[in-house]
Structure formats: C-alpha cells, structure tokens
Amino acid sequence: MTQIFKLLSDESRLRIAYLLSKEELCVCELVGITGLPQPKISKILSKFRDLGLVTDERKDKFMFYRLNQESHMLIEILSYMESHLTTYPLLVEDRERLLHKEDHIDKCTLKSLRQAN
Amino acid sequence: MTQIFKLLSDESRLRIAYLLSKEELCVCELVGITGLPQPKISKILSKFRDLGLVTDERKDKFMFYRLNQESHMLIEILSYMESHLTTYPLLVEDRERLLHKEDHIDKCTLKSLRQAN
DNA sequence: TACTCATATTCCCATATGTGCATACGAGTA
DNA sequence: TACTCGTATGCACATATGGGAATATGAGTA
C-alpha cells in the first residue's frame, strides 16, 4: 500500500500513472505528451512493472503499457483523482495533450504508422 | 497532491494518518498505540501541520491532533483505505489498540486524567 | 522561581532517491 | 550482416530522507 502511494508521490510518476489510467500508451507517446526524457519514462515504467502495476505488450516496434487491471487500489485512486484534477493543472494539460496525442509524437514513426491504419 | 501521497508513502506516517482518521489523539496516545518513538511522532505531526492536513489543540498538558476537515482528498483516501485494510495487518493492529488505548498510555498521566473524568 | 512532564527541535549519520548522460539491447529490415 | 529506431540499462553525482539520541521549549504548578 505504501508502495503505491510512493509511486504517486512523484510528479513524473503521477503524470504517467494518470495517463495510463486513460488508455494504453507506448513509451514514445508518453515522451511526446509529457515532454519528459525517454530514459526517465522507461525507468518509471520498469518500476511500475516491478510492482505489478502495469503490463506491457509489444506491437511492431512499440512497447505499449497499460494498467494492470488487478491493481484495484491504484485504479480506484487514479479514477478518484479525476474529481480533484483542478488542483493539479499539469494533469489537466496532460489530459488535453492526450486528446491530441498525434500532434506530440512526431519524433517517432508511430504517427505515420497510425495514419496508415 | 503529490505531497499527500508522499506523506502516505511512509509506514509510520500512514499509521498516524490512519489513526487520526478515526479520532483525535494526542502525542502520547500515538506513542502508546504505535510504539514509535515520541520525537518521530512529533516530527511527523509537524509535517502534517505544515501541509495544513491536521489541526492541533492543547488540552491541559496534551496536544491533541485531528485531521483538518478541509483536507477532502486525504480524508477520502483514508476512508477508502478502510476497505483495503486486510492488505495491511499493521493498520488492523493499530485499530485494535486504538479501541483499547487506555492499555497503551501508561507512560504519561493522561490515563488517570481520563479516568478522573 | 524552580520543577515536572508532554511535546518539539536540533544534530549527525547512513542510506535512499532522482537526474542526466551515455550507451546497450533487441526486433525488424535491407 | 549491418543498419535503424524504439526502448532499456548503467553509471556518477548531488540531494533528499529517515532514524536515533540528546536536548530545548513551554505550560502548568508548587
């Protein structure tokens, strides 16, 4: 339980957890949306994975991460955060960017791959 | 928001926050129930106070702390924890000791003071 | 004023943590 | 096999953090 709180106690981790609570995302999408350095995001995701809070799946060249649906507590806390989002503008911005994520992932080939589908 | 999660990410802080979610308590009661050293508890409570999460009130020689009722997010998280308590036996034990707290505060004069009332 | 007792603070130490950078890995492909 | 590109890992560094012991503070009281 303290582990979950610890993960959420860091702004970068909180942002990533929040974004993943919305939909599954790959590393380059998270980089594009948050603007955080890629190694940092990979490290954060590996911590999440070590604690069994996310699962990963490779699709083409991309590693997609999603919340482990068995992490009830994490999921409920994140969904609960939605109602307190105005106290955290950065998360609101992330949510906005997530809606237009195609505009933020031009540094990898995922964009054109998506457009091809 | 991250501040709240950070507070709850430490076992000692989590225990104290949980106990205070049940009822207002003074430092010596928290010492008695948790077995944690008094300076540690005072430090934790001062952190809580700095973040506006608790309020304090002196009664006789004792400083009583309670959750700030305006800390909605903290309060909701703590009440939500109740439903996941079995995953954290230590909190269950604390809850038990809280029910019989008179048995755990014999190192200060609060006990006899209470019995006098 | 001196004393008691509950609580608060300070200091020091070892350890943990986050960060940036460089680089390694690994799957697909030419 | 060599190359690309997305992702993962390792290292070094500064900083943050928790813990324990000693001590300070402060209110009440004799």
Side-chain angles (χ1 to χ4, degrees):
Chain A
M1 187 179 293
T2 52
Q3 307 274 34
I4 290 179
F5 289 132
K6 185 159 207 164
L7 283 183
L8 300 177
S9 72
D10 175 81
E11 181 172 275
S12 302
R13 291 193 296 258
L14 184 69
R15 293 174 72 189
I16 291 180
Y18 174 69
L19 287 168
L20 290 179
S21 76
K22 295 294 180 186
E23 56 183 283
E24 81 168 11
L25 291 165
C26 75
V27 178
C28 71
E29 288 174 315
L30 287 167
V31 171
I33 293 170
T34 63
L36 296 171
Q38 175 268 319
K40 184 171 185 171
I41 290 181
S42 279
K43 285 178 197 171
I44 289 175
L45 289 169
S46 77
K47 279 192 186 180
F48 276 64
R49 192 182 338 103
D50 291 347
L51 288 167
L53 300 177
V54 300
T55 59
D56 53 4
E57 181 190 0
R58 177 172 221 97
K59 295 184 185 175
D60 199 9
K61 291 197 284 192
F62 308 97
M63 288 294 290
F64 281 84
Y65 288 84
R66 75 183 73 187
L67 292 188
N68 184 338
Q69 290 307 116
E70 295 175 15
S71 315
H72 305 297
M73 183 152 183
L74 177 62
I75 289 172
E76 292 190 42
I77 289 176
L78 288 172
S79 78
Y80 166 74
M81 274 174 42
E82 193 71 37
S83 54
H84 292 259
L85 215 58
T86 51
T87 66
Y88 218 127
L90 195 49
L91 294 183
V92 178
E93 296 169 22
D94 280 340
R95 184 175 56 181
E96 282 304 307
R97 282 188 288 262
L98 177 60
L99 289 177
H100 314 93
K101 62 185 175 190
E102 309 76 26
D103 303 338
H104 301 282
I105 55 172
D106 38 25
K107 284 177 184 161
C108 68
T109 58
L110 179 59
K111 188 175 182 177
S112 50
L113 183 141
R114 279 248 167 92
Q115 289 173 337
N117 288 347
Chain B
M1 189 180 291
T2 52
Q3 305 276 33
I4 290 178
F5 289 132
K6 184 157 208 168
L7 283 182
L8 300 177
S9 72
D10 174 80
E11 179 172 275
S12 302
R13 291 193 295 257
L14 184 69
R15 294 173 71 188
I16 291 181
Y18 174 69
L19 287 168
L20 290 180
S21 76
K22 295 294 180 187
E23 57 183 282
E24 80 168 11
L25 292 164
C26 75
V27 178
C28 71
E29 288 174 315
L30 288 167
V31 171
I33 293 170
T34 63
L36 296 170
Q38 176 267 320
K40 184 171 185 171
I41 290 181
S42 280
K43 285 181 202 170
I44 289 174
L45 290 169
S46 76
K47 278 191 188 181
F48 277 63
R49 193 183 335 106
D50 291 347
L51 289 168
L53 300 176
V54 300
T55 58
D56 53 5
E57 181 190 359
R58 179 178 280 284
K59 294 183 186 176
D60 197 10
K61 291 197 286 193
F62 308 97
M63 288 293 290
F64 281 84
Y65 287 83
R66 75 183 72 189
L67 291 189
N68 184 339
Q69 290 307 116
E70 296 174 17
S71 314
H72 304 297
M73 182 151 186
L74 177 62
I75 289 172
E76 292 187 43
I77 290 176
L78 289 171
S79 78
Y80 166 73
M81 275 174 43
E82 193 70 37
S83 55
H84 293 257
L85 214 57
T86 51
T87 66
Y88 218 128
L90 194 49
L91 294 183
V92 178
E93 296 169 21
D94 281 338
R95 185 175 56 182
E96 282 304 307
R97 282 188 287 263
L98 178 60
L99 289 177
H100 313 93
K101 62 184 175 191
E102 310 75 28
D103 303 340
H104 301 284
I105 55 172
D106 39 26
K107 284 178 185 162
C108 68
T109 58
L110 179 59
K111 187 175 182 177
S112 50
L113 182 142
R114 279 248 167 91
Q115 289 174 336
N117 288 349

